[in-house]
Amino acid sequence: MASNISDDLRTGALIYHRLPKPGKLEIQATKPLGNQRDLALAYSPGVAVACEAIVDDPAEAATLTARQNLVAVVTNGTAVLGLGDIGPLASKPVMEGKAVLFKKFAGIDVFDIEVAEKNVDRLVDVVAALEPTFGGINLEDIKGPECFDVEEKLRARMAIPVFHDDQHGTAIIVAAAVRNALELSGKNIADVKIVCSGAGAAALACLNLLVALGAQLKNIFVADIDGVVYKGRNTLMDRWKEVYAQETDARKLIDIIPGADIFLGLSAAGVLKPEMVKQMGEKPLIMALANPTPEIMPEEATAVRPDAMICTGRSDYPNQVNNVLCFPYIFRGALDVHATAINEAMKIAAVEAIAQLAREAPSDVVARAYGGAAPVFGSASLIPSPFDPRLILRISPAVARAAMESGVARKPITDFDAYEDSLNGFVFRSGFIMKPVFTQAKEDPRRIIYCDGEDERVLRATQVVIEEKMGVPILIGRPQVVEKRIERFGLAIKAGRDFELVNPEDDVRYRDYVQTLVQVAGRRGITPDAARAMVRNNTTVIGAIALERGDADAMLCGLEGRFETRLRLIRDIIGMAPGVRDLAALSLLITSRGHFFFADTHVRVDPTAAEVAHVALQVASHVERFGLTPKIALLSDSDFGGSDSASAVKMRQALAIIRATNPELEVDGEMQADSALSQAIRDRVLPNSRLKGEANVLLFPTLEAANIGFQLVKVLADALPVGPILMGTAKPAHILTPSVTVRGIVNMTAIAVGEAQTLDRWDPA
């Protein structure tokens, strides 16, 4: 697996893991410890009260400690990703990564535990002894067939969920895809012929679950590295594989593939040949899940069988089988009912929930997140996107209900409406706000011109953009400088092959660009002589003219110099969209608490009430592009008439204008910042506020207030900034700040490409 990673990605991965502090996790206190009383409550003597309560009633551990939301990700490092038996220490980055996914997707805390033990019984003893600490156990990257024994013995000994994700996570996604493929092909699971290449833990778990869903053993044929699994074979056999041994003379994969309705590949690259695909049944389902190179590439399969439905484990093809589709949400549902196990009923409930979600019409949230072009159920959309925000809303309740109905729930949910509301609240606090933007960009990459093409950050970002296939980069820079810096930084990109390079000192379009500049800005003081100098020396001017002429679809500038200077050039050359009175800047902060938009952080110094209202309407359109419903708070120094200061009056008047223009918009003000972020505080001062829950858009009365607030929160919350996003331009153009990172440039690239895609549909006013 590692051999397929570019040198730049290798370097970036090491930097990512090393800085600003080693690893991907930290432990954070959830209670204050600011004075002596806090200390007395948290530790001695107060903690004794909590201990005694648990002695009296062990169930109190769920209410007095973090146990019920704490999962152990456990491995012995014997089957790590595509790396094999690398040992527990080297597996730790993977386990930390798994912990991050649990937290980000489902709000579940994790301790990763790497155990230096290969003996099954001793490993089981170690894990079983941890039961008092955890609400659930996620086994990870333990090689087969030992993993079957480990899970089986732990489930028998422990009264908390034990789940080997490599087996069951894959099986659940595969089963959901099979469900939907059979519906499209009009076939019955009891009748289909299934051919499986691979007989490891994941493959056998997939087959076991398909049997639980109605597949017939007589119709299932398995081949592994030693050939077909048949009755009487005595090499590489075990009791789990023996279940699928057939009475057959077939000995190779090619012998069992004819007439197959489903090919399930969890083996090695290239084992399924086009000539084999030709022999499969009508409308076959091909699940080529080997990574990074599948058993057959999708284009090879469709070339010989256009009627085939295809799934892979790769993110660059439709129908990605990705365990993150289910494991966080299964655990969420299991933990929330205090389940003693994750049983077959719960797994099947997850299968049905995932399959059903794929069949649903895309919600307005999903459609907005994917630029209005969310995938519709069909052969290219058998399973949902791993980043569909509805996954937790479908899977976790379904798993919780199945746990209750099958008798393993110790604390049944009594109000599912309230439970689903709590999950919905989590969805919109998760930190994956940028993922739909990236997905949209990849669907239709556009040409994006980087005005600071010689900057190291731009060059590194270009490498990422090319690898992720999310844009077509155009760099402005001197060829000799760009080439030397690419070499110095060890990047794999090359001008002319991977990106277009515009040489400001010698470009054939120079005269045309000068003429364009005079035409668009001649009445703004730009003389022909000045135009010639600017087109030769000012890379922002070159980029803006390229965008204006249609030589690029979007533009990023501003890594050096003053924001205001570049803003003036963009106004003069690119201009404003129809109906826009002036530009404004929107900045996003992604924090551990959620994501918040700040406006206007860079353009309008002291906007009038009408201008604040106009910015609010612009912001609402932009926020919807992230797949979110805008919840706008007009901030001031007072709450709802508590003061008649200039800022309070301004925001009060702005609210009236907004409501007259767009009465459906969820907006309120004037209000103080704490009221904007707390429903409880807001209810005390104005119980009937139209704004519900936590505001995700904060509009400030002045640029000074917006920028100070933004910078303070960025530092104090250790937040990831995105932006500034320049709103109101006729074409996508953004001015970055000198402090922007490579990651920030990549994020803004995705935003700019998405804007270019939807320009004809987007009305910023």
Side-chain angles (χ1 to χ4, degrees):
M1 179 179 176
S3 61
N4 294 279
I5 298 176
S6 70
D7 290 342
D8 182 67
L9 189 56
R10 285 175 182 273
T11 302
L14 293 175
I15 292 172
Y16 176 87
H17 283 80
R18 283 188 178 125
L19 301 173
K21 61 175 68 174
K24 298 188 284 282
L25 300 171
E26 66 178 3
I27 295 175
Q28 188 172 11
T30 60
K31 298 295 193 298
L33 199 63
N35 54 42
Q36 183 61 39
R37 178 167 175 79
D38 289 343
L39 182 60
L41 293 171
Y43 200 55
S44 180
V47 71
V49 179
C51 294
E52 289 169 347
I54 295 172
V55 170
D56 294 338
D57 180 4
E60 285 292 341
T63 65
L64 296 172
T65 74
R67 179 177 186 262
Q68 199 53 43
N69 195 52
L70 186 61
V71 166
V73 171
V74 181
T75 189
N76 64 358
T78 52
V80 180
L81 296 175
L83 302 173
D85 186 354
I86 61 174
L89 183 61
S91 76
K92 189 171 178 63
V94 179
M95 302 311 122
E96 286 190 357
K98 193 81 172 196
V100 171
L101 296 179
F102 266 109
K103 185 66 174 179
K104 288 292 186 181
F105 281 100
I108 295 170
D109 296 315
V110 165
F111 289 158
D112 62 291
I113 298 178
E114 295 76 29
V115 183
E117 183 56 75
K118 293 184 178 181
N119 179 275
V120 168
D121 289 330
R122 287 200 293 268
L123 179 59
V124 168
D125 287 341
V126 169
V127 178
L130 297 171
E131 183 169 349
T133 304
F134 297 102
I137 304 291
N138 183 93
L139 300 175
E140 192 77 16
D141 293 348
I142 300 171
K143 75 180 182 72
E146 289 90 337
C147 61
F148 294 110
D149 266 336
V150 171
E151 184 185 40
E152 188 176 274
K153 292 182 177 184
L154 286 174
R155 292 184 68 177
R157 288 176 59 174
M158 303 181 81
I160 58 175
V162 177
F163 186 84
H164 187 204
D165 183 47
D166 299 327
Q167 294 181 53
H168 308 300
T170 302
I172 287 164
I173 310 306
V174 163
V178 167
R179 269 274 199 249
N180 283 339
L182 295 181
E183 177 168 315
L184 289 173
S185 63
K187 299 176 182 178
N188 190 307
I189 193 169
D191 302 325
V192 294
K193 179 180 179 181
I194 301 171
V195 172
C196 182
S197 174
L204 294 177
C206 290
L207 296 177
N208 291 343
L209 188 54
L210 291 176
V211 169
L213 290 169
Q216 301 295 305
L217 284 173
K218 65 181 181 180
N219 296 330
I220 298 174
F221 295 81
V222 178
D224 62 10
I225 195 170
D226 211 35
V228 172
V229 176
Y230 61 90
K231 293 286 187 183
R233 197 179 101 172
N234 54 21
T235 57
L236 294 179
M237 294 296 289
D238 53 56
R239 62 188 175 96
W240 298 279
K241 196 184 298 185
E242 185 67 40
V243 172
Y244 296 100
Q246 294 280 12
E247 291 281 3
T248 179
D249 294 329
R251 294 296 181 263
K252 295 182 180 180
L253 178 62
I254 195 170
D255 300 327
I256 57 176
I257 199 72
D261 299 286
I262 298 171
F263 170 81
L264 175 60
L266 286 150
S267 53
V271 301
L272 184 66
K273 308 299 182 185
E275 55 268 26
M276 299 182 190
V277 175
K278 287 182 181 178
Q279 301 177 56
M280 294 183 69
E282 183 183 355
K283 296 181 181 179
L285 171 63
I286 298 172
M287 308 196 77
L289 306 183
N291 257 330
T293 306
E295 284 79 2
I296 188 169
M297 295 300 292
E299 52 269 24
E300 292 182 283
T302 54
V304 295
R305 290 298 301 269
D307 61 335
M309 294 170 277
I310 303 171
C311 301
T312 71
R314 294 171 53 136
S315 61
D316 53 345
Y317 288 97
N319 294 323
Q320 182 193 14
V321 174
N322 188 332
N323 290 10
V324 81
L325 267 166
C326 69
F327 74 80
Y329 316 122
I330 290 171
F331 269 95
R332 181 74 278 158
L335 293 173
D336 289 341
V337 294
H338 299 200
T340 58
I342 294 174
N343 57 25
E344 286 299 300
M346 295 160 75
K347 289 188 284 184
I348 291 172
V351 170
E352 299 297 347
I354 294 167
Q356 178 57 43
L357 178 56
R359 295 193 291 268
E360 289 183 25
S363 71
D364 59 337
V365 172
V366 175
R368 288 199 304 267
Y370 286 83
V376 177
F377 177 58
S379 60
S381 185
L382 297 173
I383 45 182
S385 160
F387 293 91
D388 191 321
R390 298 171 294 175
L391 283 165
I392 193 171
L393 305 178
R394 301 292 188 275
I395 299 173
S396 297
V399 168
R401 287 183 189 277
M404 291 162 56
E405 292 167 0
S406 60
V408 298
R410 286 178 291 197
K411 188 180 178 181
I413 293 170
T414 56
D415 186 343
F416 266 91
D417 289 338
Y419 177 57
E420 290 170 3
D421 282 345
S422 71
L423 295 176
N424 195 59
F426 170 77
V427 167
F428 294 103
R429 290 193 304 271
S430 67
F432 283 90
I433 186 173
M434 288 300 301
K435 189 60 186 181
V437 180
F438 274 75
T439 302
Q440 180 187 346
K442 292 178 184 181
E443 288 178 353
D444 185 14
R446 298 300 177 93
R447 301 166 299 167
I448 182 158
I449 191 163
Y450 300 90
C451 299
D452 303 284
E454 296 177 1
D455 191 283
E456 177 184 357
R457 291 166 293 176
V458 168
L459 293 172
R460 291 194 181 279
T462 298
Q463 176 90 47
V464 175
V465 169
I466 292 166
E467 288 180 349
E468 296 292 328
K469 299 178 181 178
M470 57 185 284
V472 182
I474 304 170
L475 274 59
I476 302 174
R478 294 162 293 177
Q480 67 275 18
V481 175
V482 170
E483 184 177 348
K484 286 181 180 178
R485 291 184 178 177
I486 287 174
E487 183 179 359
R488 184 197 310 165
F489 304 141
L491 302 177
I493 55 176
K494 184 177 180 180
R497 183 190 67 191
D498 300 306
F499 62 90
E500 179 185 342
L501 184 61
V502 177
N503 181 1
E505 297 177 341
D506 183 20
D507 190 276
V508 296
R509 296 166 293 190
Y510 171 74
R511 293 181 183 276
D512 294 335
Y513 276 33
V514 170
Q515 184 178 359
T516 298
L517 181 57
V518 172
Q519 288 174 347
V520 300
R523 293 183 179 276
R524 298 183 179 91
I526 305 297
T527 65
D529 285 343
R532 282 188 284 271
M534 292 171 74
V535 173
R536 186 70 76 192
N537 301 315
N538 193 315
T539 58
T540 300
V541 169
I542 297 171
I545 295 173
L547 183 59
E548 171 65 19
R549 288 172 56 89
D551 294 338
D553 301 307
M555 161 188 160
L556 295 183
C557 67
L559 271 70
E560 296 179 2
R562 293 174 58 84
F563 187 95
E564 294 80 4
T565 303
R566 281 155 181 75
L567 184 66
R568 188 179 308 115
L569 292 171
I570 288 173
R571 278 197 185 105
D572 290 346
I573 298 171
I574 298 171
M576 289 177 280
V580 173
R581 301 164 194 165
D582 195 5
L583 305 179
L586 175 66
S587 296
L588 167 63
L589 283 180
I590 302 173
T591 75
S592 58
R593 173 172 172 162
H595 34 259
F596 303 93
F597 295 87
F598 290 63
D600 174 4
T601 52
H602 287 78
V603 179
R604 305 191 192 198
V605 176
D606 188 10
T608 65
E611 289 173 332
V612 171
H614 186 66
V615 169
L617 298 174
Q618 287 181 289
V619 168
S621 292
H622 273 271
V623 171
E624 287 176 350
R625 293 185 59 251
F626 286 84
L628 301 175
T629 298
K631 294 174 174 287
I632 303 174
L634 305 178
L635 299 185
S636 178
D637 61 337
S638 72
D639 273 324
F640 307 107
S643 167
D644 285 328
S645 67
S647 69
V649 171
K650 179 195 294 188
M651 302 311 257
R652 210 175 299 155
Q653 292 172 345
L655 178 65
I657 297 169
I658 294 168
R659 287 185 172 171
T661 306
N662 186 350
E664 301 302 317
L665 195 60
E666 191 172 342
V667 57
D668 212 337
E670 81 279 10
M671 69 179 73
Q672 295 181 332
D674 57 348
S675 298
L677 299 177
S678 171
Q679 177 82 51
I681 294 175
R682 198 161 56 248
D683 284 346
R684 287 200 295 267
V685 293
L686 191 72
N688 62 344
S689 172
R690 180 173 298 179
L691 180 63
K692 301 301 179 186
E694 187 175 72
N696 55 17
V697 179
L698 306 177
L699 258 62
F700 293 79
T702 65
L703 184 150
E704 182 179 47
N707 198 274
I708 290 173
F710 174 78
Q711 300 296 346
L712 277 174
V713 174
K714 179 177 72 172
V715 175
L716 294 177
D718 193 23
L720 171 66
V722 178
I725 301 166
L726 194 58
M727 302 183 298
T729 55
K731 295 182 179 181
H734 299 286
I735 307 168
L736 306 178
T737 60
S739 62
V740 71
T741 62
V742 173
R743 186 180 183 186
I745 296 172
V746 173
N747 283 338
M748 286 305 300
T749 297
I751 289 171
V753 169
E755 287 177 340
Q757 294 169 353
T758 58
L759 187 62
D760 58 337
R761 297 192 298 269
W762 172 51
D763 180 4

